[in-house]
Amino acid sequence: MKFTKMHGIGNDYIYFNCLSQMPKNLSETAIRLSDRHFGIGGDGIVLILPSNKADFMMRMFNADGSEGKMCGNAIRCVGKYVYEKGLTSKTSLSIETLSGIKYLTLKIDYNTVSAVTVDMGEPILESRKIPVRFGKGKVINEKVQIAGGEHSITCVSMGNPHCIVFCDDVKGLDLEKIGPDWENDKMFPDRVNTEFVKVVDDKTLEMRVWERGSGETLACGTGACATAVAAVLCGICQKGQEITVRLRGGNLVVIYSENETVYMTGPASFVFEGEVADLKTEALNV
């Protein structure tokens, strides 16, 4: 089966056109192909599927085989893929995900998608819906004992759970050591993505991310959105303004609007294409 390797500011996935057929054993396939030494290499796999609710459906599986609900960087790549591969001529798209339907606006320059803006919907702030085990309805700049120390955290869901920690320095953190402790803390029944964030100014944030199921990645779109929301909730940034989130793979621009909707804008890129000769597939009944 043919595949396309793509990335959104370094958050790289292996994409499959599954409009007529799809790989079998999706979790096993994600683990095998994501391996950067013995596979293609990536943060996981993404399936582009037909949908009876939207223009297309996106399913994604992390490098550890777990299925994710949503990925902001991956969905931008889906928008670029379906437009530039001729699967649609629309520049405004709806994409079905496990966290609901997301709406994309494609910026076209010379028949090429140069940037994608994603309507990420409203953030979820209620502890039980994120989910977070916490005695209050919301977790906003709360001091808690976690990962072996006391930290101030803010928790937000953008379709998947995020824990945001504002720090004086993010470059010196040993995420390989501390990341698993955050991801698997008992506060988070579904595990959690953790964003470690340095405030550069009231419109600029520097972020590193430990993603559940993938470890540290170069970028996380939903994490950037959750971080911008947390910055507004903590009085660091303002609603309605453009917030630049600097990640290891590049920058995203996020707006937490006055009507509570979060918008994220960033690029998407093709890397290479190939074929997995021994990948077992099954036909879709559409």
Side-chain angles (χ1 to χ4, degrees):
M1 188 172 182
K2 293 182 179 180
F3 70 88
T4 301
K5 180 76 179 290
M6 301 184 74
H7 76 87
I9 59 170
N11 195 190
D12 58 338
Y13 289 90
I14 302 153
Y15 291 76
F16 291 101
N17 179 342
C18 298
L19 298 183
S20 60
Q21 64 175 342
M22 63 186 294
K24 291 183 176 180
N25 306 318
L26 294 173
S27 291
E28 295 176 13
T29 297
I31 294 169
R32 178 167 74 96
L33 298 185
S34 298
D35 190 290
R36 297 187 185 276
H37 298 287
F38 299 101
I40 297 166
D43 292 324
I45 66 172
V46 174
L47 314 180
I48 302 171
L49 296 147
S51 170
N52 57 15
K53 299 179 180 178
D55 293 313
F56 299 93
M57 179 180 184
M58 178 184 86
R59 289 183 68 187
M60 56 164 295
F61 289 80
N62 297 311
D64 70 348
S66 61
E67 185 167 8
K69 289 185 176 181
M70 173 58 187
C71 175
N73 291 315
I75 204 169
R76 292 201 315 277
C77 289
V78 169
K80 183 178 180 73
Y81 184 104
V82 297
Y83 184 87
E84 294 193 18
K85 294 289 186 181
L87 301 180
T88 185
S89 60
K90 294 182 178 181
T91 56
S92 295
L93 296 170
S94 57
I95 308 293
E96 181 184 354
T97 75
L98 290 183
S99 66
I101 296 175
K102 306 300 179 185
Y103 298 92
L104 279 58
T105 302
L106 312 182
K107 182 183 179 184
I108 309 299
D109 291 317
Y110 304 103
N111 296 317
T112 299
V113 178
S114 59
V116 180
T117 297
V118 185
D119 178 342
M120 299 289 287
E122 295 185 14
I124 296 169
L125 303 178
E126 292 181 50
S127 299
R128 63 183 181 85
K129 292 183 178 180
I130 293 175
V132 184
R133 293 190 178 104
F134 194 67
K136 297 181 181 179
K138 297 179 181 179
V139 186
I140 300 174
N141 198 27
E142 295 281 356
K143 288 187 177 181
V144 298
Q145 291 291 327
I146 188 171
E150 185 179 76
H151 302 274
S152 293
I153 66 171
T154 299
C155 294
V156 178
S157 173
M158 292 301 309
N160 43 26
H162 293 273
C163 176
I164 298 91
V165 189
F166 291 100
C167 313
D168 293 330
D169 172 51
V170 295
K171 292 180 180 178
L173 294 175
D174 186 352
L175 258 59
E176 290 292 329
K177 181 178 180 180
I178 67 175
D181 291 337
W182 286 86
E183 176 182 352
N184 298 292
D185 192 90
K186 62 183 180 181
M187 281 189 68
F188 309 109
D190 293 343
R191 297 185 295 166
V192 78
N193 304 281
T194 309
E195 284 74 34
F196 301 91
V197 184
K198 177 184 176 181
V199 178
V200 179
D201 56 44
D202 64 355
K203 294 182 181 178
T204 312
L205 306 170
E206 182 181 355
M207 179 186 117
R208 287 176 67 188
V209 57
W210 180 269
E211 292 197 56
R212 60 176 183 170
S214 295
E216 183 175 15
T217 59
L218 295 182
C220 177
T222 58
C225 292
T227 292
V229 170
V232 170
L233 295 175
C234 293
I236 297 165
C237 302
Q238 294 182 3
K239 265 188 179 180
Q241 71 177 12
E242 290 189 351
I243 302 170
T244 299
V245 183
R246 298 177 183 171
L247 303 106
R248 292 182 67 196
N251 296 344
L252 293 173
V253 175
V254 181
I255 298 174
Y256 183 21
S257 69
E258 295 289 349
N259 66 2
E260 303 297 323
T261 301
V262 180
Y263 298 94
M264 172 195 63
T265 301
S269 303
F270 289 109
V271 184
F272 61 85
E273 297 185 321
E275 185 172 0
V276 184
D278 64 345
L279 189 60
K280 295 181 179 179
T281 62
E282 58 184 344
L284 258 65
N285 296 318
V286 294

